[in-house]
Amino acid sequence: MLHYVLKRIGGAILVLVVVALIAFVLFRFVGDPINQMVGQDVSVADRERLRQMLGLDDSIVVQLARFLWNALHFDFGVSYQFKEKVTTLVAARFPATFELSLAASIFAIVVGIPVGAYTGIRPKALMSRAFMALSLIGVSLPTFLIGILLIYVFAVRLQWLPSYGRGETVQIGFWRTGFLTKSGLAALVMPSITLGLFQLTLIARLVRAEMLEVMRADFIRFARARGLSERAVNFRHALKNTLVPVVTIIGLQIGSIVAFSIITETVFQWPGMGLLFITSVQNADIPVMAAYLMMVAIIFVTINLTVDLLYLAIDPRIRLGSAQA
Amino acid sequence: MSEPLLEVDRLGVEFVTRHGDLRALDGVSFSMAQGEILGLVGESGAGKSLTGRAIIGLIDQPGRICGGTITFEGRRIDNLRSADLRKLRGKRIGTIFQDPLTSLDPLQRIGDQLVETIRAHLPLNAAQAREKAIALLGEVGLPAAADRMRAWPHEFSGGMRQRVVIALALACDPSLLIADEPTTALDVSVQAQIIALLRRLARAHNASVLLVTHDMGVIAEAADRVAVMYAGRVVEIGPVADVIARPWHPYSRGLMGSIPSLREEVDRLTQIPGAMPRIGARPEGCAYAPRCPKAEPRCRMAAPPMIEAGPRAAACIVEPAP
Ligand SMILES: Nc1ncnc2c1ncn2[C@@H]1O[C@H](COP(=O)(O)OP(=O)(O)OP(=O)(O)O)[C@@H](O)[C@H]1O
Ligand code: SF4
Ligand SMILES: [Mg+2]
C-alpha cells in the first residue's frame, strides 16, 4: 500500500517536471521577450542591457536550471503586459477561478450522481427518458452558447441575476471570496451552471451506465435473494460499486472544469485566471502563460493523486497492492 | 404424509418478447416435504434455475409467472406483493447461487454482509447480530471466525466464499434452501466438502433443500428424491435410489446412462443424441419425442400427464411403471 502511494506521488512529480520543461521551452523559444517588453524606439544597447539583467544571455542549461528552481518557488518573473510579478497576478486571480470551479464541480456532482442513479435504477421511467433526451442537448451545446442563453433569459429578460463579474467580494487574508455576500453568490449561479453542465451530464450518464451494469451483477441478485430492502440494494451495494469508475471520471472532469473555465470566464467577464490567460495570450505575455500552465498542471496532478488515494478508501482490492490494482 | 413444505403446481413462466411470449416453464409440478433434499436435474436450459427463481419471486425481466400456484408453509406465495416476498427471501427461504466468486459484494466486509442480512430480518441489535454472525461462520467451518468478520471477499478462496454464502443463506434459519448449482464453479477437490456441509447443515437446521445441479453424482450422494426436468417441465420425480436404479421416463434413462461419482470429472449430460428443443420451438405433444427411442405417433398428440405409481411419477404414456 505504501508502495502504491509512493508510486503515485512519484508519477505526480514527474508530470510536473515535464510540464515545467514545456513551460521553459515556451518561455525561451516563442518570440523574443525583449521585443514584447520594450517599444520600437529602444536602442540595441539598452536591449542588450535588459537581456543581461533578465539573464537571457546565459547558456540554455543555466537558464533551464534557474527556471526550474524558480518554478519550484512558483516564481515566473514579471508579466510583460502588467509589469507586475506574475505570482502576485496569479495569486490575485486564483481565488476567483477556484471558487467558480468548486461551485461548478459541486453542482455537477451533487446533481449528476443522483440523476444518474435514478435513471439507472428506473431506466424506463418517464423522468429518466426525459433526462436522457435533455442530456443529449446538454452534451452537444457549446459552453458559450449555454452561457449566452442563460444571460439572455436570467439577466436580460428576467433580470434576476447579474450578467458579469463576481459581485461583492470579501478579503480574508490573501483570499478574496465571493461566498460570503449575497451578490457574490448570485453572481456565481450562472457561471457555475454554464461551467458544470457538461460535466453534470457526463457524470449522470456514466453513473447510469455503471448502475445498469452493476444491477445485473450476481451479488445484486444475491443481495435481493437475501431479502434486503430496495434501498440497501440500490445504494449500499449497487451505487457503491459504481464509485471507482465514477470517481476516476469526476477527477478528470474537475481538471477539465478548471481548464474550460477560460471560456466561461470570458463569457461572464469573471476575473479569474482564465481571463488573465486569455489576455496574456493576446499580448504574448509568456511568463503569465507559463505560470498558468504550471498552475493547471498542479491542479490536475493534485486531483489525480486525490483520486488514486480515494480508490484506496473505496476498493479494498487495491489495498493489497497486487496486480489487481 | 404431513402437509408439504413447498408445493409447486402447474407453474408456468413466460418471457414477454417482441416475437411473442416464450413459455420457459410449462406446467412444473412437484412438492417438497419438511427437511427433505430434492435434487433437480436436467439439461442446460431445461428451466431448473428459473424454477428456483420463480419460487423466490426473482425472475429476470421480462419474465413473469403466467400460471399455476406456489404454496409455501401453507400459503400461496406466487401472488404476494413484493414487500411480503422480501420478508420471505433470506428469512424463510435461503438462496445459494452457483458462483461464490461473484455472489458477495466485493466492497463490503464478510461480517457486515452477514450482520446486514441478519438485521434485515431479525429484531437483533448490532452486537447480537455480530455474535450470531460469528457463530454462523464457525458453523460453516471457517477457522477463527471472529477474526474473519473483518475480511474482504477477495481474501477468500472459492470454497471459503461458498461457505460464507451458505452462512448467509442460513443466517435466519430458513425452512427452505434453494441451492442453484452450489458446487459447479468450485474446484473438484472442494465440491464434495461443500455438498457434505450443505447436507449436514440442512439436517441440523431442519431445512429442506432444493438442490439444482447438472451432476447426477451430487444428486446420488446428497438428495432424498430427485426431479428430472426437460424443456420446461418435470418429467419424472421419485426417490433417488429408485430413479437411478430403474429410471422410468425414457429421458431419465438417457440421463442415468453414466453417473460419474463426485470425485470424477463432472459429466455434462451430453450422452443423449440430439438437442433439447429451444423455448419457442417445442413440438406438440411430448417434448422429448424427437429424441425418444420409444416414441410412437400418439406421443406427438398431447403433452403426456404425470402418471403416479407409489412414491414415483413420470410423464410418459408409453413406458409402463417400473
Ligand atoms: N432473462 C431471460 N430472457 C429470456 N429467456 C430466458 C431468460 N432467463 C432464462 N430464459 C429461458 O428460460 C429457460 C430456462 O432457463 P434456466 O436458466 O432455468 O435453465 P437451467 O435449467 O437452469 O439451465 P442451466 O443448467 O444452463 O443453468 C432457458 O431456455 C432460457 O432460454
Ligand atoms: S411420451 Fe412417448 S415420446 Fe415422450 S417420453 Fe414417453 S415414449 Fe418417449
Ligand atoms: Mg441454471
Side-chain angles (χ1 to χ4, degrees):
Chain A
M1 180 168 155
L2 188 66
H3 178 71
Y4 173 86
V5 174
L6 287 179
K7 224 167 99 182
R8 302 296 137 140
I9 292 178
I13 291 173
L14 191 70
V15 168
L16 287 181
V17 169
V18 169
V19 172
L21 279 177
I22 293 171
F24 172 73
V25 170
L26 194 73
F27 216 154
R28 183 64 189 73
F29 297 105
V30 176
D32 181 359
I34 302 296
N35 279 344
Q36 302 292 337
M37 296 170 83
V38 297
Q40 296 279 325
D41 49 344
V42 177
S43 71
V44 174
D46 282 346
R47 284 171 189 251
E48 274 317 305
R49 197 152 358 96
L50 191 57
R51 200 178 292 279
Q52 260 175 25
M53 226 170 73
L54 292 174
L56 290 177
D57 56 347
D58 293 335
S59 77
I60 296 285
V61 180
V62 172
Q63 285 193 48
L64 174 61
R66 186 166 50 223
F67 179 86
L68 286 180
W69 177 250
N70 288 340
L72 200 63
H73 300 85
F74 212 80
D75 177 1
F76 290 92
V78 175
S79 156
Y80 301 160
Q81 50 176 334
F82 299 106
K83 314 284 186 269
E84 221 181 305
K85 272 189 81 88
V86 172
T87 319
T88 329
L89 276 173
V90 169
R93 305 296 193 99
F94 179 74
T97 296
F98 182 86
E99 290 185 357
L100 173 59
S101 304
L102 185 70
S105 310
I106 290 174
F107 168 65
I109 293 167
V110 167
V111 181
I113 290 183
V115 166
Y118 177 83
T119 53
I121 293 166
R122 302 205 192 301
K124 298 213 169 102
L126 201 67
M127 289 260 289
S128 305
R129 288 164 193 267
F131 167 78
M132 289 308 285
L134 271 178
S135 74
L136 269 185
I137 303 173
V139 178
S140 47
L141 273 188
T143 309
F144 71 89
L145 206 61
I146 294 172
I148 290 169
L149 278 175
L150 285 177
I151 289 177
Y152 178 72
V153 175
F154 294 101
V156 178
R157 295 253 76 138
L158 297 171
Q159 309 214 329
W160 287 353
L161 296 166
S163 63
Y164 67 90
R166 280 187 89 187
E168 278 174 69
T169 51
V170 177
Q171 186 85 29
I172 301 172
F174 70 94
W175 195 273
R176 182 170 281 283
T177 178
F179 283 159
L180 298 177
T181 64
K182 227 171 129 188
S183 74
L185 288 174
L188 203 53
V189 174
M190 287 200 296
S192 350
I193 292 178
T194 306
L195 185 53
L197 200 59
F198 180 81
Q199 274 69 26
L200 184 158
T201 50
L202 216 66
I203 290 172
R205 286 175 152 262
L206 177 75
V207 171
R208 179 190 127 95
E210 291 290 330
M211 276 299 261
L212 287 174
E213 178 84 32
V214 169
M215 284 307 216
R216 282 198 297 270
D218 274 355
F219 66 85
I220 292 297
R221 201 194 284 270
F222 188 55
R224 291 228 162 82
R226 286 190 273 147
L228 303 184
S229 67
E230 276 303 301
R231 207 187 149 83
V233 172
N234 288 340
F235 297 103
R236 205 179 310 152
H237 296 286
L239 189 58
K240 189 165 182 206
N241 272 279
T242 68
L243 282 187
V244 165
V246 169
V247 164
T248 310
I249 295 299
I250 287 180
L252 291 175
Q253 290 306 316
I254 289 179
S256 29
I257 280 183
V258 174
F260 276 114
S261 70
I262 293 178
I263 299 170
T264 307
E265 288 184 9
T266 311
V267 172
F268 289 93
Q269 289 300 301
W270 189 264
M273 294 193 308
L275 208 56
L276 180 68
F277 178 73
I278 289 289
T279 50
S280 68
V281 169
Q282 283 158 356
N283 298 306
D285 192 349
I286 288 166
V288 173
M289 285 160 68
Y292 180 80
L293 201 64
M294 277 313 285
M295 202 65 209
V296 171
I298 289 171
I299 291 170
F300 262 87
V301 161
T302 312
I303 292 168
N304 270 328
L305 204 58
T306 315
V307 166
D308 286 337
L309 297 182
L310 271 180
Y311 285 166
L312 289 182
I314 296 170
D315 196 332
R317 285 166 293 188
I318 295 171
R319 272 173 242 172
L320 282 180
S322 67
Q324 287 146 313
Chain B
M1 211 166 99
S2 65
E3 185 177 87
L5 175 74
L6 176 76
E7 174 115 52
V8 177
D9 187 28
R10 281 165 292 168
L11 177 67
V13 169
E14 65 186 11
F15 286 93
V16 185
T17 69
R18 256 173 292 156
H19 316 289
D21 300 347
L22 298 176
R23 273 283 179 130
L25 295 189
D26 193 9
V28 170
S29 299
F30 64 91
S31 69
M32 289 178 70
Q34 191 91 47
E36 170 182 58
I37 300 182
L38 176 68
L40 197 55
V41 289
E43 270 166 276
S44 187
K48 308 179 294 294
S49 302
L50 203 52
T51 303
R53 285 194 204 136
I55 294 168
I56 55 174
L58 283 183
I59 302 172
D60 288 334
Q61 288 295 330
R64 60 160 191 231
I65 293 180
C66 61
T69 57
I70 303 170
T71 311
F72 173 70
E73 293 185 326
R75 76 175 164 146
R76 266 187 75 175
I77 61 168
D78 53 285
N79 52 5
L80 282 185
R81 290 182 311 131
S82 62
D84 296 327
L85 256 176
R86 197 170 64 231
K87 283 183 205 136
L88 278 180
R89 286 201 292 265
K91 183 160 195 221
R92 304 305 305 150
I93 307 177
T95 309
I96 299 164
F97 286 135
Q98 173 171 346
D99 192 352
L101 297 182
T102 55
S103 289
L104 300 170
D105 184 340
L107 302 188
Q108 207 184 28
R109 294 177 196 276
I110 301 290
D112 292 341
Q113 301 195 38
L114 273 161
V115 167
E116 170 186 46
T117 310
I118 293 166
R119 296 196 69 193
H121 299 292
L122 304 177
L124 299 180
N125 64 30
Q128 293 166 324
R130 195 183 129 77
E131 222 164 88
K132 187 167 170 65
I134 294 173
L136 278 162
L137 287 181
E139 222 184 331
V140 296
L142 283 189
D147 302 334
R148 298 309 180 99
M149 290 285 283
R150 288 185 57 76
W152 300 97
H154 69 265
E155 295 168 348
F156 283 6
S157 69
M160 271 160 64
R161 281 192 231 185
Q162 198 63 309
R163 286 171 195 265
V164 173
V165 169
I166 292 173
L168 279 162
L170 281 172
C172 304
D173 280 304
S175 58
L176 175 63
L177 273 181
I178 296 176
D180 193 345
E181 313 211 26
T183 58
T184 309
L186 297 178
D187 250 30
V188 182
S189 56
V190 294
Q191 286 184 357
Q193 290 171 21
I194 294 292
I195 289 295
L197 175 76
L198 194 59
R199 197 179 145 86
R200 182 166 57 72
L201 288 179
R203 294 276 187 257
H205 289 247
N206 194 28
S208 307
V209 183
L210 181 62
L211 181 59
V212 174
T213 175
H214 277 106
D215 187 344
M216 278 309 297
V218 168
I219 299 283
E221 199 133 322
D224 304 312
R225 287 196 307 147
V226 58
V228 179
M229 283 193 78
Y230 188 78
R233 274 182 196 212
V234 173
V235 294
E236 174 160 8
I237 188 165
V240 167
D242 293 352
V243 176
I244 288 178
R246 283 166 295 124
W248 176 355
H249 196 279
Y251 176 63
S252 310
R253 192 165 312 139
L255 274 190
M256 308 309 154
S258 73
I259 298 172
S261 97
L262 257 183
R263 274 151 293 275
E264 280 173 43
E265 215 27 55
V266 180
D267 192 301
R268 279 292 173 172
L269 309 177
T270 50
Q271 56 275 66
I272 306 169
M276 190 174 67
R278 292 190 306 111
I279 51 170
R282 286 178 191 153
E284 284 279 299
C286 178
Y288 190 54
R291 298 166 81 186
C292 181
K294 300 278 178 104
E296 295 175 8
R298 61 182 169 128
C299 299
R300 301 176 189 267
M301 309 281 278
M306 281 300 250
I307 296 161
E308 290 188 28
R312 308 184 57 173
C316 177
I317 49 172
V318 173
E319 201 67 21

